[in-house]
Amino acid sequence: MIEPETIFAVSSGSGRAGVVVVRVSGPASRDLVTKLVGRLPEVRRFSVRKLSSHDGTLLDRAVVIWLPGPNTVTGEDMAEFHVHGSPAVVAQLLRDLSQQLKCRLAEPGEFTRRAFDNERLGLLEVEGLSDLLAAESEAQRRLAIRQFSGESTAVVEAWRTGLLSALALLEAAIDFSDEQDVAESAVARAMAALEKLLAELSRAADAAERVSAIRRGLRVVIAGPVNAGKSSLLNCLAGRDAAIVSDIPGTTRDIIDAPVMLGGVPVLLTDTAGLRDGSFDAIEMEGMARTRRALLEADVVVWVEAADVKALPPPGVTPDFRLLNKADLLNRDSIQTRNESMIYVSVKSGHGLAEFKLQLEALIAARSFVGEHDVVVRERHRVAAGKSIRFLNDALERPKDGLELIAEDVRNAARALSLFTGRIDAEELLGKIFADFCIGK
């Protein structure tokens, strides 16, 4: 077996800092520490040591930590050097490390990959760590930390264990089909468990789009007829001139995105081309087609009309908010003032905008809620959950006299869930049967 190379990298970020952490992992870690500091520090204790460069000169006074495997982040021998944040010090330390035999600079994500290969992290934990590093909002942090900490894995494993338990009952019913009372009881218990698991999986799958939106940031699409003030509203919410504003109808011809934080949540505000009937301008027609596509992909739809513009019905979507802009132009007796579903604003004067923004932030916060079973975060998860749900539906719809086919459906549903964590072990079924089901009654 070829011994893996020892890897190293700066793990505390880039740029000038008071302290920079250089991490080392691999079989040569012990020798590296000994060469640089003279003798091995006490295990898992911060120790102040003089770091020597390759030519024997003093490089720095640093805090050194020696972490023997396998109980480390990567499962290998590790060490950390906490040096002063001088770029010259860090650069020389990296050069000294690179000159050591079988020691090289780590590739992106390689420490985490070794943690996965050595079973220190599962697939969900690895994905959670990636999302945690990229998290910009509290909701994203909560979602990522549930994966990274193993909470999501625990949920999926509980589902999978439930399927294995139901499968054990079905296998026992097949083996003891001549004892009718035992078989019927086992099948009834298995079917009740499968119905409960199907309901939980379906709820998680139904929440997938909302959970995915939390991870990527919600998209708020502003749409409506031409000259309703959509671009002005975008600029107001974004706090800058992100979109061109003009009295000329059809000024906005394409999608304009403006990333902002609303209520502590990262949001992509999208301004769209105004909609109207009777246009034969090819560019404007393409812009309106893009508007309709954006509406279908939106997490939140803000439909904007105006007091001096002909109203149009939203095309194929139900808006989360309906705004009537230029409300200061309305006559009190106007029929438009009697529409209770409208929020009356004036982007020009600012009337009603503060109240609307509070409502928008409240809706975004509600849709950023992270629930106990919100584990379907990525497309990979969605595919795994979908396969498991299909097999469970098949199992529950089959005639009860086809237990072998039902058992195969349940087995396939459990395999599908293994795509979440990468765990597929046929021996677990045997262990479950003997541990949880008393055959010798």
Side-chain angles (χ1 to χ4, degrees), residues 159 190-203 373 392 396:
W159 289 337
M191 290 302 174
L194 293 179
E195 288 177 356
K196 180 175 181 292
L197 288 167
L198 177 60
E200 291 183 5
L201 269 167
S202 297
R203 283 196 296 270
H373 289 148
L392 283 178
L396 290 168

Side-chain angles (χ1 to χ4, degrees), residues 330-350:
L330 285 177
N331 186 303
R332 279 191 177 181
D333 298 325
S334 169
I335 192 171
Q336 290 175 293
T337 63
R338 302 173 197 168
N339 190 339
E340 295 181 357
S341 66
M342 284 284 190
I343 300 174
Y344 297 91
V345 300
S346 172
V347 176
K348 185 175 182 179
S349 69

Side-chain angles (χ1 to χ4, degrees), residues 54-303:
H54 66 283
D55 59 1
T57 60
L58 179 65
L59 173 61
D60 194 16
R61 284 179 61 86
V63 172
V64 181
I65 310 172
W66 162 238
L67 305 165
N71 295 321
T72 61
V73 171
T74 62
E76 303 175 324
D77 286 350
M78 292 187 67
E80 288 184 357
F81 301 94
H82 296 230
V83 299
H84 290 98
S86 159
V89 170
V90 175
Q92 185 58 50
L93 176 57
L94 296 180
R95 281 194 293 270
D96 289 339
L97 290 172
S98 65
Q99 291 174 4
Q100 306 301 316
L101 188 65
K102 293 185 178 180
C103 189
R104 62 170 174 79
L105 189 66
E107 297 175 0
E110 192 169 4
F111 284 93
T112 304
R113 176 58 191 264
R114 292 195 176 192
F116 174 73
D117 289 341
N118 293 320
E119 298 184 353
R120 302 299 294 176
L121 291 176
L123 282 178
L124 288 178
E125 286 81 2
V126 169
E127 290 171 338
L129 176 58
S130 174
D131 288 346
L132 183 62
L133 294 173
E136 296 179 342
S137 71
E138 177 61 15
Q140 289 175 332
R141 184 198 66 80
R142 289 197 306 270
L143 186 63
I145 203 68
R146 289 188 73 247
Q147 285 190 268
F148 179 53
S149 66
E151 288 183 40
S152 294
T153 297
V155 171
V156 175
E157 283 300 311
W159 289 337
R160 187 167 167 274
T161 301
L163 289 175
L164 291 175
S165 296
L167 182 56
L169 289 167
L170 292 169
E171 295 283 7
I174 293 170
D175 290 341
F176 293 91
S177 57
D178 55 332
E179 298 184 35
Q180 190 172 1
D181 58 333
V182 174
E184 288 180 353
S185 174
V187 171
R189 289 166 56 194
M191 290 302 174
L194 293 179
E195 288 177 356
K196 180 175 181 292
L197 288 167
L198 177 60
E200 291 183 5
L201 269 167
S202 297
R203 283 196 296 270
D206 290 343
E209 187 59 38
R210 175 180 57 80
V211 177
S212 178
I214 295 172
R215 178 173 172 265
R216 69 172 186 270
L218 274 68
R219 187 176 187 184
V220 177
V221 173
I222 303 171
V226 295
N227 255 27
K230 300 181 296 300
S231 298
S232 297
L233 178 64
L234 175 86
N235 291 342
C236 181
L237 293 173
R240 62 183 186 276
D241 292 335
I244 297 173
V245 175
S246 170
D247 292 332
I248 302 172
T251 300
T252 302
R253 296 293 190 98
D254 203 351
I255 301 296
I256 297 175
D257 291 326
V260 298
M261 296 289 287
L262 289 176
V265 178
V267 168
L268 190 66
L269 288 176
T270 299
D271 185 22
T272 60
L275 301 175
R276 62 174 167 177
D277 298 325
S279 174
F280 296 99
D281 184 308
I283 297 176
E284 186 178 12
M285 290 173 68
E286 174 60 25
M288 290 192 288
R290 295 185 182 190
T291 296
R292 294 185 179 92
R293 289 197 294 269
L295 285 170
L296 295 175
E297 297 169 357
D299 299 303
V300 177
V301 174
V302 179
W303 183 257

Side-chain angles (χ1 to χ4, degrees), residues 384-430:
K387 285 184 177 179
S388 189
I389 288 170
R390 286 194 296 275
F391 283 122
L392 283 178
N393 277 319
D394 290 344
L396 290 168
E397 291 172 1
R398 291 189 189 278
K400 298 302 183 288
D401 56 357
L403 290 182
E404 290 85 356
L405 294 176
I406 294 174
E408 186 61 23
D409 287 331
V410 176
R411 188 176 291 108
N412 286 330
R415 286 197 185 104
L417 280 187
S418 296
L419 296 175
F420 269 97
T421 58
R423 292 188 57 184
I424 301 176
D425 188 355
E427 292 298 317
E428 284 190 29
L429 175 58
L430 296 176

